[in-house]
Amino acid sequence: PLSLAACQATDLKKVGDHVVTVAQQPHLNQHLTSYYWSTNTGAPKPLVLKFDDQGRLFISTSCNNLATGWVISDQKIVTGNIAATMMACPEHATQQEQLASRLFANTQINFSLSTTDPLNPTLTLMSADGQSYVFTGKMTPETKYQSQGEIMFLEISPQTQSCQSGTGQCLQVREIKYASNGVKLPVDSIWTEFNAPIEGFQHNLHEQQIIRVKRYPIKDAAED
């Protein structure tokens, strides 16, 4: 959980009871990069922001993915030109993409950070036309587990089996390794029970899948 100073913002729109501005919080960059920030705009998927510590802002929409540079200056988020993928999308998804482009393309954005709920902070962005957009923060795995994680590949069986603990159905997985030239190495033929959640993964009962994941150790636990 983040511990942020509670204060009254005088030059930005206030959201909630506690607001942090740049001048009052020198570590705001770290707070922005510690979360995924999302808001619903009526499109099929939320609009999601990811600030990284290399000065890059990645924007996921229901259509194309966007990217730009970012820096905090004069109590504003300053962005650069937008780069984007070029998929054709339905109109309602395209509208969300256009909104993201207008909001983040080569501009200076007034913002405030609310910490009424430290586990679910909110980031409010004010567009040039005065419209406010409230984004809810979700901790990145790196923030949650205080680790960069280990990249690995898992093969997932379409069939599940009853967990040995008797708590329902568990995935059946086996690790895959690749040589430095990209050639897939032989895998163990034995499937292993996997009863932990895999964030962002949707199991398919009709398809064997290979996924790239990051594994994070859980502190004070015997196993990952």
Side-chain angles (χ1 to χ4, degrees):
L2 299 180
S3 177
L4 305 180
C7 57
Q8 173 71 44
T10 57
D11 58 339
L12 300 177
K13 179 178 178 180
K14 182 181 178 183
V15 178
D17 297 329
H18 305 284
V19 177
V20 173
T21 65
V22 178
Q24 297 159 321
Q25 179 48 266
H27 302 298
L28 189 55
N29 280 38
Q30 180 181 347
H31 301 321
L32 289 179
T33 60
S34 294
Y35 290 84
Y36 295 108
W37 302 95
S38 65
T39 189
N40 291 314
T41 64
K45 298 179 182 178
L47 179 62
V48 181
L49 312 179
K50 177 63 179 77
F51 298 86
D52 78 4
D53 55 11
Q54 303 299 314
R56 296 169 297 190
L57 170 59
F58 299 99
I59 307 163
S60 297
T61 77
S62 297
C63 185
N64 287 287
N65 293 324
L66 315 177
T68 185
W70 74 281
V71 67
I72 294 176
S73 178
D74 194 25
Q75 300 194 23
K76 294 180 175 65
I77 297 175
V78 181
T79 63
N81 295 326
I82 289 281
T85 55
M86 298 182 66
M87 297 185 297
C89 306
E91 181 178 356
H92 57 323
T94 302
Q95 290 175 349
Q96 184 192 54
E97 179 190 343
Q98 292 171 344
L99 167 64
S101 183
R102 290 195 304 270
L103 185 59
F104 295 104
N106 200 26
T107 190
Q108 300 182 25
I109 310 168
N110 286 321
F111 71 100
S112 61
L113 179 65
S114 171
T115 59
T116 304
D117 181 352
L119 293 178
N120 295 283
T122 56
L123 172 67
T124 301
L125 304 179
M126 279 67 75
S127 65
D129 61 4
Q131 180 68 43
S132 295
Y133 298 92
V134 180
F135 292 76
T136 301
K138 179 182 178 180
M139 280 187 182
T140 65
E142 289 79 7
T143 301
K144 182 177 180 180
Y145 298 111
Q146 295 296 297
S147 167
Q148 290 303 307
E150 173 195 2
I151 294 176
M152 61 187 302
F153 294 86
L154 292 179
E155 186 173 12
I156 313 292
S157 171
Q159 284 81 37
T160 60
Q161 292 188 7
S162 298
C163 301
Q164 295 180 5
S165 61
T167 57
Q169 294 292 306
C170 283
L171 294 177
Q172 301 300 302
V173 308
R174 50 192 178 192
E175 185 177 357
I176 294 177
K177 295 185 181 294
Y178 293 89
S180 57
N181 60 2
V183 174
K184 180 180 174 182
L185 300 176
V187 297
D188 192 334
S189 61
I190 299 176
W191 294 96
T192 301
E193 177 181 300
F194 191 88
N195 59 4
I198 303 176
E199 184 175 341
F201 170 69
Q202 183 67 44
H203 183 245
N204 190 330
L205 293 172
H206 307 287
E207 183 178 70
Q208 195 156 303
Q209 299 166 282
I210 296 177
I211 60 174
R212 179 177 181 268
V213 300
K214 275 190 175 182
R215 179 171 62 182
Y216 299 88
I218 299 175
K219 293 183 178 180
D220 301 323
E223 298 180 351
D224 291 1

